[in-house]
Amino acid sequence: MAPNTNSSTGGLTRLLTVIGIVIGVLTPIIYVLERNLESLYVFGIDELHEVAKRGIAHGGNDTAKIVEFIVDELKVSHPKYVNPRWNVPEEWMFNNAGGAMGGMYLIHASITEYLIIFGTAVGTEGHSGRHTADDYFTILTGEQWAYVPGEFQREVYPPGAMHHMRRGTVKQYKMPQDCFALEYARGWIPPMLFFGFADGFTSTLDIPTMYRTVVVTGREMIGNLLIGKI
């Protein structure tokens, strides 16, 4: 029996129509939001840098004291938007992305911003990813190195330094030994999650960690949406 080409063509036409409608609806929404992204942010870049530097001055080489100081200060200045449970083990999880591995604690996550503590006590190295958000990586303890093709010297970021990676740029990076940082991204956060989960699906297959990451990230993003934070 010959295949029903009319049915197949009709199904494809309907699918393309739906895709076209979705794109047509989302494009102006994204365009408007993109032009007004700045008004959606609740954290300031200079503010976070200053808090991190004060935390370093307060805690010295004691990373736990630095993290506690930062979270306490942000909880006072942004009470609705900060997850204060830095000392709860279940709030920390592994993060594997771009070949690098470290521990992560989510301070804030929404559609347009995320703020985390990321680091490792044993060193790591990997691909930064090419993202839809600007990334601000302030070193708290240890040191981060970065490299871009065509250069012959590494970039070095010591404690207190902020490493700004503009949206769409990419680097190789390394934490040669123990290193922890306050990482802040502003822009479109959901597309970054594909990079964040890729290693889990294709390499580590660490389902419990991916599940925990989804639970915590979803809890924070949905919680912020419910109070009007995009």
Side-chain angles (χ1 to χ4, degrees):
M1 183 175 179
N4 188 339
T5 55
N6 289 335
S7 177
S8 300
T9 302
L12 179 60
T13 300
R14 285 192 294 273
L15 175 61
L16 293 175
T17 300
V18 170
I19 292 173
I21 291 172
V22 170
I23 292 174
V25 170
L26 290 180
T27 298
I29 294 173
I30 293 174
Y31 174 77
V32 171
L33 290 175
E34 180 72 27
R35 291 179 63 87
N36 294 277
L37 269 178
E38 198 70 31
S39 65
L40 302 177
Y41 302 141
V42 297
F43 298 98
I45 298 166
D46 293 336
E47 169 202 14
L48 293 173
H49 195 192
E50 288 303 315
V51 170
K53 288 192 290 186
R54 290 199 301 273
I56 295 168
H58 171 79
N61 292 321
D62 189 329
T63 307
K65 284 186 177 180
I66 298 173
V67 173
E68 180 180 25
F69 180 92
I70 290 171
V71 174
D72 285 350
E73 284 228 347
L74 292 176
K75 183 60 179 175
V76 171
S77 57
H78 303 280
K80 295 192 297 184
Y81 305 114
V82 168
N83 167 22
R85 297 181 290 273
W86 72 272
N87 56 351
V88 177
E90 290 76 16
E91 294 295 314
W92 289 85
M93 64 211 82
F94 276 125
N95 177 260
N96 292 83
M101 181 177 184
M104 176 181 75
Y105 154 60
L106 198 61
I107 300 173
H108 172 89
S110 59
I111 301 299
T112 57
E113 294 175 282
Y114 81 67
L115 183 64
I116 67 173
I117 300 293
F118 174 79
T120 172
V122 297
T124 192
E125 178 180 9
H127 188 291
S128 68
R130 195 181 298 275
H131 298 301
T132 52
D134 279 69
D135 190 85
Y136 301 86
F137 205 80
T138 302
I139 306 303
L140 304 177
T141 55
E143 194 171 80
Q144 185 197 44
W145 301 347
Y147 169 75
V148 291
E151 297 295 330
F152 296 96
Q153 298 291 329
R154 63 179 177 236
E155 301 169 11
V156 179
Y157 299 92
M162 176 181 279
H163 181 189
H164 176 203
M165 286 196 57
R166 298 185 183 279
R167 178 163 53 170
T169 61
V170 63
K171 293 182 181 181
Q172 176 189 10
Y173 78 94
K174 182 175 184 176
M175 295 170 163
Q177 295 179 337
D178 56 309
C179 179
F180 286 85
L182 178 68
E183 182 178 7
Y184 172 58
R186 51 162 50 187
W188 297 110
I189 304 305
M192 299 176 70
L193 299 178
F194 295 106
F195 175 77
F197 286 112
D199 279 12
F201 285 115
T202 62
S203 177
T204 68
L205 303 179
D206 184 358
I207 304 301
T209 291
M210 288 192 288
Y211 172 78
R212 187 62 192 157
T213 303
V214 169
V215 168
V216 175
T217 304
R219 181 194 72 200
E220 296 301 314
M221 280 193 165
I222 294 170
N224 280 303
L225 280 173
L226 290 176
I227 59 174
K229 171 65 178 83
I230 297 176

